[in-house]
Short mmCIF file of all heavy atoms in Angstrom, two decimals:
data_model
loop_
_atom_site.label_atom_id
_atom_site.label_comp_id
_atom_site.label_asym_id
_atom_site.label_seq_id
_atom_site.Cartn_x
_atom_site.Cartn_y
_atom_site.Cartn_z
N THR J 1 0.86 -1.13 -0.01
CA THR J 1 -0.03 0.03 0.01
C THR J 1 0.92 1.27 0.00
O THR J 1 1.72 1.34 0.88
CB THR J 1 -0.90 0.05 1.21
OG1 THR J 1 -1.75 -1.15 1.25
CG2 THR J 1 -1.86 1.28 1.13
N ILE J 2 0.71 2.13 -0.96
CA ILE J 2 1.34 3.35 -0.99
C ILE J 2 0.45 4.41 -0.44
O ILE J 2 -0.73 4.46 -0.72
CB ILE J 2 1.79 3.74 -2.44
CG1 ILE J 2 2.74 4.93 -2.44
CG2 ILE J 2 0.65 3.92 -3.35
CD1 ILE J 2 3.49 5.24 -3.76
N SER J 3 1.05 5.33 0.36
CA SER J 3 0.34 6.46 0.98
C SER J 3 1.23 7.67 1.06
O SER J 3 2.45 7.52 0.79
CB SER J 3 -0.22 6.00 2.31
OG SER J 3 0.78 5.66 3.21
N ARG J 4 0.69 8.71 1.44
CA ARG J 4 1.45 9.94 1.59
C ARG J 4 0.99 10.74 2.82
O ARG J 4 -0.17 10.64 3.26
CB ARG J 4 1.41 10.78 0.34
CG ARG J 4 0.02 11.56 0.12
CD ARG J 4 0.14 12.36 -1.22
NE ARG J 4 -1.05 13.27 -1.24
CZ ARG J 4 -2.24 12.93 -1.66
NH1 ARG J 4 -2.47 11.69 -2.08
NH2 ARG J 4 -3.19 13.86 -1.75
N ASP J 5 1.89 11.54 3.34
CA ASP J 5 1.65 12.54 4.31
C ASP J 5 2.06 13.82 3.72
O ASP J 5 3.28 14.20 3.78
CB ASP J 5 2.37 12.22 5.60
CG ASP J 5 1.95 13.15 6.73
OD1 ASP J 5 1.57 14.31 6.43
OD2 ASP J 5 2.17 12.78 7.93
N SER J 6 1.17 14.59 3.12
CA SER J 6 1.52 15.79 2.47
C SER J 6 2.21 16.80 3.38
O SER J 6 3.08 17.56 2.99
CB SER J 6 0.27 16.39 1.76
OG SER J 6 -0.30 15.54 0.80
N ALA J 7 1.76 16.89 4.59
CA ALA J 7 2.29 17.82 5.58
C ALA J 7 3.75 17.60 5.84
O ALA J 7 4.57 18.51 6.05
CB ALA J 7 1.51 17.84 6.83
N LYS J 8 4.15 16.33 5.72
CA LYS J 8 5.52 15.93 5.95
C LYS J 8 6.37 15.73 4.69
O LYS J 8 7.51 15.41 4.73
CB LYS J 8 5.63 14.70 6.82
CG LYS J 8 5.05 14.87 8.18
CD LYS J 8 5.16 13.58 9.01
CE LYS J 8 4.61 13.71 10.41
NZ LYS J 8 4.70 12.40 11.13
N ASN J 9 5.73 15.91 3.56
CA ASN J 9 6.24 15.71 2.24
C ASN J 9 6.90 14.32 2.18
O ASN J 9 8.05 14.10 1.71
CB ASN J 9 7.33 16.75 1.90
CG ASN J 9 6.79 18.14 1.87
OD1 ASN J 9 5.76 18.33 1.19
ND2 ASN J 9 7.39 19.13 2.54
N THR J 10 6.18 13.33 2.63
CA THR J 10 6.68 11.99 2.81
C THR J 10 5.72 11.02 2.13
O THR J 10 4.52 11.11 2.31
CB THR J 10 6.91 11.65 4.29
OG1 THR J 10 7.84 12.52 4.82
CG2 THR J 10 7.41 10.21 4.36
N VAL J 11 6.24 10.05 1.45
CA VAL J 11 5.49 8.93 0.84
C VAL J 11 5.89 7.64 1.52
O VAL J 11 7.13 7.48 1.78
CB VAL J 11 5.68 8.87 -0.62
CG1 VAL J 11 5.07 7.62 -1.23
CG2 VAL J 11 5.09 10.11 -1.29
N TYR J 12 4.94 6.79 1.76
CA TYR J 12 5.23 5.52 2.40
C TYR J 12 4.86 4.31 1.51
O TYR J 12 4.04 4.46 0.61
CB TYR J 12 4.44 5.43 3.69
CG TYR J 12 4.67 6.55 4.66
CD1 TYR J 12 3.81 7.64 4.63
CD2 TYR J 12 5.72 6.57 5.55
CE1 TYR J 12 3.96 8.70 5.56
CE2 TYR J 12 5.93 7.61 6.42
CZ TYR J 12 5.07 8.62 6.40
OH TYR J 12 5.27 9.76 7.28
N LEU J 13 5.55 3.23 1.77
CA LEU J 13 5.19 1.96 1.15
C LEU J 13 5.08 0.95 2.19
O LEU J 13 6.04 0.49 2.75
CB LEU J 13 6.16 1.62 0.07
CG LEU J 13 5.79 0.34 -0.75
CD1 LEU J 13 4.58 0.62 -1.62
CD2 LEU J 13 6.98 -0.10 -1.55
N GLN J 14 3.81 0.63 2.55
CA GLN J 14 3.62 -0.46 3.51
C GLN J 14 3.64 -1.85 2.74
O GLN J 14 2.88 -2.00 1.82
CB GLN J 14 2.26 -0.29 4.22
CG GLN J 14 1.90 -1.32 5.19
CD GLN J 14 2.82 -1.35 6.41
OE1 GLN J 14 3.11 -0.31 6.95
NE2 GLN J 14 3.30 -2.53 6.76
N MET J 15 4.55 -2.64 3.13
CA MET J 15 4.71 -3.94 2.47
C MET J 15 4.34 -5.01 3.49
O MET J 15 5.03 -5.24 4.50
CB MET J 15 6.13 -4.10 1.98
CG MET J 15 6.65 -2.95 1.03
SD MET J 15 8.30 -3.22 0.44
CE MET J 15 9.24 -3.11 1.98
N ASN J 16 3.37 -5.73 3.16
CA ASN J 16 2.90 -6.88 4.00
C ASN J 16 3.00 -8.20 3.16
O ASN J 16 3.16 -8.24 1.98
CB ASN J 16 1.44 -6.65 4.39
CG ASN J 16 1.17 -5.41 5.20
OD1 ASN J 16 2.07 -5.06 5.99
ND2 ASN J 16 0.03 -4.82 5.01
N SER J 17 2.97 -9.30 3.97
CA SER J 17 3.07 -10.62 3.39
C SER J 17 4.26 -10.71 2.40
O SER J 17 4.08 -11.19 1.32
CB SER J 17 1.73 -10.96 2.63
OG SER J 17 0.62 -10.91 3.51
N LEU J 18 5.36 -10.26 2.89
CA LEU J 18 6.55 -10.22 2.01
C LEU J 18 7.04 -11.59 1.64
O LEU J 18 6.90 -12.54 2.43
CB LEU J 18 7.66 -9.48 2.77
CG LEU J 18 7.50 -7.91 2.77
CD1 LEU J 18 8.42 -7.34 3.77
CD2 LEU J 18 7.81 -7.43 1.34
N LYS J 19 7.46 -11.68 0.42
CA LYS J 19 8.00 -12.93 -0.19
C LYS J 19 9.41 -12.74 -0.53
O LYS J 19 9.91 -11.64 -0.76
CB LYS J 19 7.15 -13.26 -1.46
CG LYS J 19 5.64 -13.34 -1.27
CD LYS J 19 4.94 -13.53 -2.66
CE LYS J 19 3.50 -13.61 -2.47
NZ LYS J 19 2.72 -13.75 -3.79
N PRO J 20 10.19 -13.88 -0.62
CA PRO J 20 11.56 -13.74 -1.04
C PRO J 20 11.74 -13.03 -2.36
O PRO J 20 12.77 -12.35 -2.53
CB PRO J 20 12.02 -15.21 -1.09
CG PRO J 20 11.17 -15.90 -0.13
CD PRO J 20 9.79 -15.20 -0.17
N GLU J 21 10.83 -13.19 -3.23
CA GLU J 21 10.92 -12.46 -4.51
C GLU J 21 10.75 -11.03 -4.42
O GLU J 21 10.95 -10.27 -5.42
CB GLU J 21 9.95 -13.07 -5.57
CG GLU J 21 8.56 -13.21 -5.08
CD GLU J 21 8.13 -14.48 -4.53
OE1 GLU J 21 8.95 -15.17 -3.83
OE2 GLU J 21 7.07 -14.99 -4.90
N ASP J 22 10.33 -10.50 -3.32
CA ASP J 22 10.33 -9.09 -3.07
C ASP J 22 11.64 -8.42 -2.75
O ASP J 22 11.73 -7.24 -2.68
CB ASP J 22 9.35 -8.71 -1.89
CG ASP J 22 7.84 -9.08 -2.30
OD1 ASP J 22 7.40 -8.79 -3.41
OD2 ASP J 22 7.16 -9.54 -1.37
N THR J 23 12.52 -9.28 -2.60
CA THR J 23 13.95 -8.78 -2.28
C THR J 23 14.45 -7.95 -3.43
O THR J 23 14.47 -8.38 -4.57
CB THR J 23 14.86 -10.00 -2.05
OG1 THR J 23 14.52 -10.71 -0.91
CG2 THR J 23 16.34 -9.48 -1.85
N ALA J 24 14.81 -6.70 -3.11
CA ALA J 24 15.25 -5.75 -4.08
C ALA J 24 15.72 -4.51 -3.45
O ALA J 24 15.49 -4.29 -2.25
CB ALA J 24 14.08 -5.46 -5.09
N VAL J 25 16.34 -3.67 -4.26
CA VAL J 25 16.62 -2.33 -3.91
C VAL J 25 15.36 -1.43 -4.20
O VAL J 25 14.98 -1.46 -5.44
CB VAL J 25 17.89 -1.78 -4.56
CG1 VAL J 25 18.04 -0.27 -4.18
CG2 VAL J 25 19.07 -2.51 -4.07
N TYR J 26 14.80 -0.82 -3.30
CA TYR J 26 13.64 0.00 -3.55
C TYR J 26 14.01 1.43 -3.49
O TYR J 26 14.65 1.93 -2.61
CB TYR J 26 12.61 -0.30 -2.40
CG TYR J 26 11.82 -1.58 -2.53
CD1 TYR J 26 12.56 -2.77 -2.18
CD2 TYR J 26 10.58 -1.64 -2.91
CE1 TYR J 26 11.91 -3.98 -2.33
CE2 TYR J 26 9.92 -2.85 -3.05
CZ TYR J 26 10.60 -3.99 -2.74
OH TYR J 26 9.94 -5.23 -2.88
N SER J 27 13.62 2.11 -4.61
CA SER J 27 14.04 3.53 -4.84
C SER J 27 12.76 4.40 -4.89
O SER J 27 11.81 4.06 -5.61
CB SER J 27 14.83 3.64 -6.09
OG SER J 27 16.00 2.89 -6.09
N CYS J 28 12.78 5.48 -4.23
CA CYS J 28 11.69 6.48 -4.31
C CYS J 28 11.79 7.24 -5.59
O CYS J 28 12.89 7.56 -6.03
CB CYS J 28 11.82 7.34 -3.06
SG CYS J 28 10.46 8.56 -2.93
N TYR J 29 10.70 7.60 -6.12
CA TYR J 29 10.63 8.31 -7.43
C TYR J 29 9.67 9.49 -7.29
O TYR J 29 8.62 9.41 -6.62
CB TYR J 29 10.11 7.30 -8.47
CG TYR J 29 9.61 7.92 -9.76
CD1 TYR J 29 10.50 8.36 -10.72
CD2 TYR J 29 8.28 8.14 -9.93
CE1 TYR J 29 9.98 8.93 -11.90
CE2 TYR J 29 7.80 8.66 -11.03
CZ TYR J 29 8.70 9.09 -12.05
OH TYR J 29 8.26 9.71 -13.17
N MET J 30 10.03 10.58 -8.00
CA MET J 30 9.19 11.73 -8.06
C MET J 30 9.14 12.24 -9.48
O MET J 30 10.17 12.38 -10.14
CB MET J 30 9.66 12.83 -7.11
CG MET J 30 8.91 14.16 -7.29
SD MET J 30 9.66 15.49 -6.35
CE MET J 30 9.32 14.98 -4.69
N LEU J 31 7.95 12.52 -9.92
CA LEU J 31 7.72 13.28 -11.20
C LEU J 31 7.23 14.68 -10.84
O LEU J 31 6.17 14.77 -10.28
CB LEU J 31 6.73 12.53 -12.09
CG LEU J 31 6.41 13.21 -13.39
CD1 LEU J 31 7.65 13.38 -14.29
CD2 LEU J 31 5.28 12.48 -14.17
N LYS J 32 8.07 15.63 -11.10
CA LYS J 32 7.76 17.03 -10.78
C LYS J 32 7.77 17.87 -12.03
O LYS J 32 8.57 17.71 -12.86
CB LYS J 32 8.80 17.53 -9.77
CG LYS J 32 8.63 18.94 -9.28
CD LYS J 32 9.80 19.27 -8.32
CE LYS J 32 9.68 20.68 -7.76
NZ LYS J 32 10.02 21.63 -8.83
N GLY J 33 6.77 18.72 -12.11
CA GLY J 33 6.73 19.58 -13.28
C GLY J 33 5.58 20.62 -13.21
O GLY J 33 4.86 20.70 -12.27
N TRP J 34 5.58 21.36 -14.34
CA TRP J 34 4.57 22.35 -14.50
C TRP J 34 4.13 22.35 -15.98
O TRP J 34 4.99 22.49 -16.88
CB TRP J 34 5.14 23.74 -14.16
CG TRP J 34 4.16 24.90 -14.31
CD1 TRP J 34 4.01 25.78 -15.33
CD2 TRP J 34 3.17 25.25 -13.38
NE1 TRP J 34 3.00 26.59 -15.11
CE2 TRP J 34 2.40 26.30 -13.89
CE3 TRP J 34 2.78 24.70 -12.13
CZ2 TRP J 34 1.35 26.92 -13.24
CZ3 TRP J 34 1.66 25.25 -11.48
CH2 TRP J 34 0.99 26.36 -12.04
N GLY J 35 2.86 22.07 -16.16
CA GLY J 35 2.35 21.89 -17.55
C GLY J 35 3.02 20.73 -18.23
O GLY J 35 3.01 19.57 -17.65
N ALA J 36 3.59 20.93 -19.38
CA ALA J 36 4.18 19.86 -20.13
C ALA J 36 5.69 19.60 -19.77
O ALA J 36 6.30 18.65 -20.29
CB ALA J 36 4.13 20.20 -21.67
N TYR J 37 6.19 20.45 -18.88
CA TYR J 37 7.61 20.26 -18.51
C TYR J 37 7.77 19.59 -17.21
O TYR J 37 7.34 20.04 -16.09
CB TYR J 37 8.26 21.67 -18.43
CG TYR J 37 8.17 22.51 -19.69
CD1 TYR J 37 7.09 23.28 -19.99
CD2 TYR J 37 9.12 22.28 -20.74
CE1 TYR J 37 7.01 23.98 -21.20
CE2 TYR J 37 9.06 22.91 -21.89
CZ TYR J 37 8.02 23.82 -22.18
OH TYR J 37 7.96 24.44 -23.34
N ASN J 38 8.34 18.36 -17.27
CA ASN J 38 8.38 17.51 -16.11
C ASN J 38 9.90 17.06 -15.94
O ASN J 38 10.68 16.92 -16.84
CB ASN J 38 7.54 16.27 -16.29
CG ASN J 38 6.04 16.68 -16.37
OD1 ASN J 38 5.52 17.29 -15.45
ND2 ASN J 38 5.40 16.33 -17.52
N THR J 39 10.20 16.73 -14.71
CA THR J 39 11.52 16.22 -14.34
C THR J 39 11.40 15.16 -13.34
O THR J 39 10.54 15.07 -12.49
CB THR J 39 12.38 17.36 -13.68
OG1 THR J 39 12.41 18.46 -14.57
CG2 THR J 39 13.80 16.81 -13.41
N ASP J 40 12.21 14.08 -13.61
CA ASP J 40 12.24 12.90 -12.72
C ASP J 40 13.30 13.06 -11.65
O ASP J 40 14.38 13.55 -11.98
CB ASP J 40 12.53 11.61 -13.50
CG ASP J 40 11.40 11.27 -14.53
OD1 ASP J 40 10.22 11.25 -14.12
OD2 ASP J 40 11.69 11.10 -15.70
N TYR J 41 13.03 12.58 -10.42
CA TYR J 41 14.00 12.57 -9.40
C TYR J 41 13.94 11.16 -8.75
O TYR J 41 12.90 10.46 -8.75
CB TYR J 41 13.67 13.61 -8.33
CG TYR J 41 13.79 15.01 -8.84
CD1 TYR J 41 12.69 15.63 -9.36
CD2 TYR J 41 14.95 15.69 -8.84
CE1 TYR J 41 12.69 16.92 -9.86
CE2 TYR J 41 15.06 17.00 -9.34
CZ TYR J 41 13.90 17.63 -9.85
OH TYR J 41 14.05 18.93 -10.31
N TRP J 42 15.05 10.80 -8.24
CA TRP J 42 15.30 9.44 -7.68
C TRP J 42 15.97 9.53 -6.36
O TRP J 42 16.93 10.32 -6.12
CB TRP J 42 16.09 8.53 -8.57
CG TRP J 42 15.42 8.33 -9.91
CD1 TRP J 42 15.47 9.12 -10.99
CD2 TRP J 42 14.59 7.18 -10.27
NE1 TRP J 42 14.77 8.57 -12.03
CE2 TRP J 42 14.25 7.41 -11.58
CE3 TRP J 42 14.18 6.08 -9.58
CZ2 TRP J 42 13.38 6.48 -12.25
CZ3 TRP J 42 13.36 5.16 -10.24
CH2 TRP J 42 13.01 5.39 -11.61
N GLY J 43 15.59 8.67 -5.44
CA GLY J 43 16.34 8.50 -4.21
C GLY J 43 17.47 7.52 -4.42
O GLY J 43 17.63 6.95 -5.50
N GLN J 44 18.26 7.32 -3.40
CA GLN J 44 19.42 6.49 -3.56
C GLN J 44 19.06 4.98 -3.39
O GLN J 44 19.85 4.13 -3.81
CB GLN J 44 20.50 6.84 -2.46
CG GLN J 44 21.17 8.16 -2.70
CD GLN J 44 21.86 8.22 -3.97
OE1 GLN J 44 22.77 7.38 -4.25
NE2 GLN J 44 21.57 9.23 -4.79
N GLY J 45 17.95 4.71 -2.85
CA GLY J 45 17.50 3.34 -2.73
C GLY J 45 17.78 2.76 -1.34
O GLY J 45 18.67 3.18 -0.64
N THR J 46 16.90 1.85 -0.94
CA THR J 46 17.11 1.11 0.26
C THR J 46 16.90 -0.37 0.07
O THR J 46 15.97 -0.74 -0.63
CB THR J 46 16.14 1.68 1.38
OG1 THR J 46 16.35 1.05 2.62
CG2 THR J 46 14.65 1.50 1.00
N GLN J 47 17.76 -1.13 0.62
CA GLN J 47 17.67 -2.55 0.41
C GLN J 47 16.64 -3.20 1.30
O GLN J 47 16.52 -3.04 2.49
CB GLN J 47 19.08 -3.18 0.77
CG GLN J 47 19.08 -4.71 0.61
CD GLN J 47 19.04 -5.22 -0.83
OE1 GLN J 47 19.73 -4.64 -1.68
NE2 GLN J 47 18.17 -6.17 -1.08
#
């Protein structure tokens, strides 16, 4: 389940019933822009 706390500028990913195949580096992503002009941003990732 993905959720956000706008006041904290934070997005969460609640992961339940985890499976071995969920093992990965998880990276936060943001698409930011105005009108047709958009920019992608990435976090460093967490294992």
Side-chain angles (χ1 to χ4, degrees):
T1 302
I2 188 170
S3 62
R4 73 180 192 276
D5 185 337
S6 296
K8 297 180 178 179
N9 298 312
T10 300
V11 171
Y12 305 95
L13 185 67
Q14 179 67 46
M15 304 184 294
N16 298 325
S17 302
L18 283 163
K19 305 174 181 179
E21 52 262 44
D22 294 319
T23 296
V25 174
Y26 286 73
S27 300
C28 185
Y29 162 81
M30 174 189 289
L31 176 63
K32 179 177 179 291
W34 182 259
Y37 300 93
N38 298 300
T39 304
D40 295 308
Y41 297 91
W42 298 86
Q44 293 297 306
T46 185
Q47 177 70 46

